[in-house]
Amino acid sequence: MKATRNGKISTIHVDIVLVEQRARELGFRHATIRELGDGIRLAESLMNSKIATPDAVMRMDVVTGMTAWVTGNPIEGVFLVLPLSPAGEQAVRDGTYCPADPAPAHLAWHGRDVAGVYIGVYAGATKEARRAVMTAAAVMRVEQFAAVPTFARGATDDGKRSMASLGFSPLEGGLPDLWVQEALSTGSEAA
């Protein structure tokens, strides 16, 4: 169930500087457009499907300030996280959200008023990269976004098993293969 206050979806404010610092501590860096292209190609080859163009993801990153993360040189892992506005959180739930190129109104501008999080992809080419991606996903979820729901699509059987092990469950009525982990806290202890 969505957390609401006075009939509105609850939101949190996220410190982008802290997100960047924590990502670096976990071995990730904000992706350049070239690195993003490499990361997307890596994810698409592992998933055997298209996700988004590097230009579209870079536009998302410009809006949110915290979407595109990579690790390794050459790129061995990619983590795309999209903080959602209240309208975006609702769009994910009702199936009107476009993961490959979301409406700017569906994204939380520069980390403010985050009502949910959509994980665009987390993928690693090596065991170490997969471990780093999973650690980053879990740490960011708990430390930055615990007070809001997190959504992801089960693109592969491994991804679905991974999400189930992290406490996600299938959500009917939204995007195909949509999974959710509802808010983990009330928000008073979140970012």
Side-chain angles (χ1 to χ4, degrees):
M1 191 70 189
K2 293 179 277 190
T4 60
R5 278 187 227 129
N6 302 326
K8 290 186 172 185
I9 295 172
S10 291
T11 61
I12 59 172
H13 296 277
V14 177
D15 183 341
I16 295 174
V17 173
L18 183 59
V19 169
E20 180 94 26
Q21 176 186 342
R22 198 63 172 116
R24 286 192 184 283
E25 290 169 2
L26 295 167
F28 283 80
R29 65 188 173 279
H30 223 137
T32 65
I33 188 72
R34 182 193 60 75
E35 292 174 325
L36 188 53
D38 292 345
I40 288 172
R41 280 188 293 282
L42 169 72
E44 289 177 341
S45 72
L46 294 171
M47 295 168 49
N48 199 26
S49 66
K50 294 286 183 190
I51 55 173
T53 67
D55 288 338
V57 176
M58 195 54 70
R59 282 191 305 271
M60 296 172 215
D61 192 71
V62 167
V63 170
T64 68
M66 63 173 118
T67 290
W69 304 95
V70 294
T71 190
N73 189 11
I75 304 301
E76 294 179 333
V78 60
F79 181 49
L80 303 179
V81 57
L82 293 127
L84 301 168
S85 68
E89 191 267 356
Q90 186 58 49
V92 171
R93 287 185 187 273
D94 69 22
T96 60
Y97 182 78
C98 179
D101 197 7
H106 289 166
L107 300 176
W109 287 79
H110 301 287
R112 293 176 296 207
D113 299 325
V114 176
V117 177
Y118 185 88
I119 304 298
V121 70
Y122 57 96
T126 64
K127 183 177 180 179
E128 295 79 21
R130 285 189 296 277
R131 184 177 298 125
V133 167
M134 291 299 292
T135 300
V139 168
M140 291 297 193
R141 170 66 173 136
V142 171
E143 292 183 1
Q144 302 297 322
F145 303 108
V148 297
T150 296
F151 303 92
R153 289 179 66 192
T156 65
D157 288 339
D158 283 343
K160 290 174 187 176
R161 281 190 295 275
S162 169
M163 287 189 294
S165 74
L166 294 172
F168 282 74
S169 59
L171 180 68
E172 297 298 322
L175 300 168
D177 295 319
L178 183 64
W179 289 59
V180 64
Q181 184 183 61
E182 296 293 353
L184 301 173
S185 72
T186 61
S188 59
E189 60 280 311

